[in-house]
Amino acid sequence: MSKYLVVVDMQKDFIDGSLGSAEAQAVLPKVIEKIKNFPGTVVYTRDTHEDNYLETLEGKKLPVVHCVRDTEGWKFQDDIQQLVTANRSLVFDKETFGSIQMAGCLQGIDRMAPIDEVIVVGLCTDICVMANATLIRTAMPNTPVRVDASCCAGSTPEAHRCALEAMKSLQIEIDE
């Protein structure tokens, strides 16, 4: 049985930096445990912006500088980074909400050796988790895609709940 865990944007700026929250800090230990105990392959996305972030469309709509390449906030949280390094995991840098490259990579693997299930966890539920889960669901229409809600946090608790409901409509399974 082939399973993949996609860990979305567990970076310092989303946990306790410029876009951090108590909810993100609360799910961190759960995400670490999920990674450590996952019986399959773990891959990661990393939100990556450049110094001109505020000049981009996203920066104009969300004018909070975050995850600028090579800054402290761009880095994975330390425990997450240790797991990435120890397991020599694939990391997909992405300049926007979803990683087309990650979804395409999983799609290619699935064509060669079918993937039984993809589970998505991370930050933020209502933006990058939803975008990546949707891209995977679109790229792999016959592979179950699940989101572990206990290992996700949204930009607000209400946005988290709304995103989970929206993903259900896209036939993404939600584990509460």
Side-chain angles (χ1 to χ4, degrees), residues 46-167:
R46 181 169 48 201
D47 203 40
T48 302
H49 300 294
E50 305 304 331
D51 291 330
N52 70 337
Y53 172 74
L54 292 175
E55 299 166 23
T56 68
L57 180 62
E58 180 182 328
K60 290 174 183 169
K61 293 184 178 279
L62 177 65
V64 179
V65 175
H66 65 282
C67 300
V68 173
R69 186 186 307 275
D70 296 327
T71 63
E72 195 62 26
W74 173 75
K75 296 176 182 175
F76 288 119
Q77 186 275 344
D78 294 340
D79 296 315
I80 300 285
Q81 182 60 57
Q82 288 176 2
L83 293 165
V84 169
T85 302
N87 296 314
R88 297 184 177 151
S89 299
L90 283 174
V91 175
F92 296 90
D93 287 342
K94 58 185 189 58
E95 65 181 274
T96 190
F97 310 127
S99 173
I100 294 170
Q101 292 81 10
M102 178 271 301
C105 181
L106 292 179
Q107 181 186 52
I109 292 167
D110 186 55
R111 286 184 180 148
M112 305 272 291
I115 296 173
D116 298 306
E117 180 178 55
V118 178
I119 300 167
V120 183
V121 301
L123 305 170
C124 291
T125 316
D126 50 307
I127 304 171
C128 297
V129 170
M130 186 164 62
N132 283 288
T134 301
L135 283 169
I136 297 164
R137 178 75 181 88
T138 301
M140 302 166 59
N142 293 308
T143 301
V145 177
R146 309 178 76 79
V147 170
D148 183 343
S150 72
C151 292
C152 295
S155 57
T156 67
E158 178 63 21
H160 170 78
R161 288 189 292 278
C162 288
L164 295 174
E165 287 304 312
M167 286 186 279

Side-chain angles (χ1 to χ4, degrees), residues 12-45:
K12 293 178 180 184
D13 271 347
F14 288 119
I15 297 168
D16 56 12
S18 59
L19 291 173
S21 69
E23 293 84 10
Q25 292 170 35
V27 301
L28 177 61
K30 296 173 188 174
V31 172
I32 291 167
E33 280 307 305
K34 184 96 176 177
I35 295 166
K36 286 180 177 178
N37 296 314
F38 190 72
T41 303
V42 182
V43 301
Y44 298 80
T45 68

